[in-house]
Amino acid sequence: MSDVTLTNPGLGTYRLKEEVAYQAVSTALELGYRTIDTAQMYDNEAAVGKAIADSPVSRDEVFVTTKVWVDQLSRDTFRRSVEQSLARLNMAQVDLLLIHWPAPEGDVPMADYLGELKAAQDDGLTRHIGVSNFTIAQIDEALKILGPGSLLTNQVEIHPYLPNRKLVEHCQQRDILVTGYMPLAVGRVNDDPVLNAIAENKGVKPAQVALAWIKQRGIITIPSSTRREHLQSNLAAMDLELTVSESSRIDTLGYDLRLANPSFAPEWDLD
Ligand SMILES: NC(=O)c1ccc[n+]([C@@H]2O[C@H](COP(=O)([O-])OP(=O)(O)OC[C@H]3O[C@@H](n4cnc5c(N)ncnc54)[C@H](OP(=O)(O)O)[C@@H]3O)[C@@H](O)[C@H]2O)c1
């Protein structure tokens, strides 16, 4: 059985469809990425699975995450949706299965969908389980239901304009890895004067500075890119070290720019 774990950085695949998703995953694996993030909602599980199958990298060396969408959380639909994900991915098992968002308005009890999540793990459909977009209160509720040590990660939005400090601390204190999504604030970091100044001084790119800042907080990051040079640069950013004073400057850039905020989002923790 594989013992591969979440590695930094993973490749995000939101918005990447069909051939574009296939190419991004293929190039990322070729460059050395070993963590790939998809979801039922991204409508690209088949292309992601095919890229992994066609790659010379063995399936055992790749950590694959998918996520159950909000309309599949009830006991009637959950398991079938996971089986359909596995069929699209053409895999017997994923490495990590996440609840993509807590149930909108609490319309499905958390105990129901976390029970289904745990059953999927117990039955071997996934090696690890976790959540995404869970608040501090929801993490506490989930741990009451599943017990300490049950959740590998909480995947939440994290970038220099949304450090999510309280939630990160809460998860890390409970041995829940934090995975930061939209780490480049969907491209906004590229034009940031502070990130550009730090980058210029170090002879690197502003996107790399943003990723290094996230990594130095002990967070897994999953930037998405369709371009080989960006994929390479994002990987190389993991070797970048920021000084305390550089990190402190980035700490001042913002705290509440939330880019993923659908109408059904929970009431967020404020930093
Ligand atoms: N759990 C959730 O609810 C949730 C929500 C949102 C996202 N996510 C996950 O997080 C992943 C990342 O988020 P995201 O894709 O929305 O945004 P992101 O990674 O912050 O930004 C992606 C954008 O940045 C550009 N980019 C990437 N590398 C770059 C570089 N080195 N230099 C300059 N520009 C660069 C990309 O363009 P190019 O293609 O041209 O490189 C793309 O336009 C998603 O793909 C998804 O897997 C999860």
Side-chain angles (χ1 to χ4, degrees), residues 25-137:
V25 174
S26 305
T27 308
L29 290 172
E30 182 198 325
L31 292 172
Y33 286 73
R34 291 295 178 266
T35 289
I36 310 288
D37 184 83
T38 181
Q40 293 173 350
M41 192 276 253
Y42 301 170
D43 193 21
N44 64 15
E45 288 174 311
V48 167
K50 184 164 173 17
I52 294 168
D54 290 352
S55 157
V57 179
S58 139
R59 166 70 187 95
D60 278 3
E61 292 172 44
V62 186
F63 191 96
V64 181
T65 302
T66 197
K67 318 185 190 82
V68 178
W69 188 237
V70 288
D71 59 0
Q72 303 296 325
L73 293 177
S74 82
R75 281 194 166 138
D76 297 342
T77 53
F78 193 104
R79 173 61 68 106
R80 193 166 152 64
S81 86
V82 177
E83 288 167 352
Q84 287 170 340
S85 280
L86 291 173
R88 285 188 292 267
L89 284 160
N90 197 17
M91 291 172 189
Q93 182 184 57
V94 285
D95 298 281
L96 176 61
L97 185 64
L98 300 180
I99 301 297
H100 204 148
W101 288 85
E105 316 282 337
D107 62 356
V108 180
M110 193 186 285
D112 284 13
Y113 60 83
L114 290 186
E116 289 292 326
L117 185 69
K118 181 74 174 67
Q121 182 184 31
D122 290 344
D123 294 343
L125 280 62
T126 182
R127 291 173 55 231
H128 301 280
I129 56 174
V131 294
S132 176
N133 298 300
F134 271 40
T135 62
I136 289 173

Side-chain angles (χ1 to χ4, degrees), residues 14-252:
Y14 180 38
R15 292 184 221 90
L16 312 187
K17 303 279 188 246
E18 307 197 353
E19 185 57 22
V20 176
Y22 180 90
Q23 282 305 335
V25 174
S26 305
T27 308
L29 290 172
E30 182 198 325
L31 292 172
Y33 286 73
R34 291 295 178 266
T35 289
I36 310 288
D37 184 83
T38 181
Q40 293 173 350
M41 192 276 253
Y42 301 170
D43 193 21
N44 64 15
E45 288 174 311
V48 167
K50 184 164 173 17
I52 294 168
D54 290 352
S55 157
V57 179
S58 139
R59 166 70 187 95
D60 278 3
E61 292 172 44
V62 186
F63 191 96
V64 181
T65 302
T66 197
K67 318 185 190 82
V68 178
W69 188 237
V70 288
D71 59 0
Q72 303 296 325
L73 293 177
S74 82
R75 281 194 166 138
D76 297 342
T77 53
F78 193 104
R79 173 61 68 106
R80 193 166 152 64
S81 86
V82 177
E83 288 167 352
Q84 287 170 340
S85 280
L86 291 173
R88 285 188 292 267
L89 284 160
N90 197 17
M91 291 172 189
Q93 182 184 57
V94 285
D95 298 281
L96 176 61
L97 185 64
L98 300 180
I99 301 297
H100 204 148
W101 288 85
E105 316 282 337
D107 62 356
V108 180
M110 193 186 285
D112 284 13
Y113 60 83
L114 290 186
E116 289 292 326
L117 185 69
K118 181 74 174 67
Q121 182 184 31
D122 290 344
D123 294 343
L125 280 62
T126 182
R127 291 173 55 231
H128 301 280
I129 56 174
V131 294
S132 176
N133 298 300
F134 271 40
T135 62
I136 289 173
Q138 287 166 332
I139 285 292
D140 288 345
E141 193 182 342
L143 290 179
K144 257 191 211 148
I145 294 167
L146 292 177
S150 47
L151 299 174
L152 181 70
T153 194
N154 184 17
Q155 184 181 122
V156 292
E157 183 174 339
I158 299 201
H159 46 67
Y161 317 108
L162 187 70
N164 239 324
R165 289 188 185 89
K166 286 186 186 151
L167 178 65
V168 168
E169 190 184 356
H170 194 80
C171 290
Q172 290 179 337
Q173 283 172 348
R174 284 155 187 77
D175 285 332
I176 298 172
L177 261 176
V178 177
T179 304
Y181 72 66
M182 293 181 163
L184 306 175
V186 200
R188 283 168 176 75
V189 300
N190 296 323
D191 302 321
D192 188 283
V194 169
L195 296 174
N196 271 281
I198 295 171
E200 212 164 293
N201 194 34
K202 296 180 102 66
V204 298
K205 300 286 184 197
Q208 293 183 300
V209 173
L211 296 176
W213 173 79
I214 295 172
K215 191 209 81 173
Q216 277 183 215
R217 298 177 60 208
I219 295 169
I220 300 283
T221 180
I222 49 169
S224 153
S225 179
T226 54
R227 295 165 62 171
R228 175 179 282 267
E229 74 261 32
H230 287 171
L231 289 167
Q232 207 149 24
S233 160
N234 296 346
L235 193 60
M238 299 299 106
D239 297 328
L240 191 62
E241 298 272 343
L242 300 177
T243 63
V244 173
S245 102
E246 287 166 339
S247 293
S248 307
R249 285 179 73 193
I250 303 169
D251 287 343
T252 64

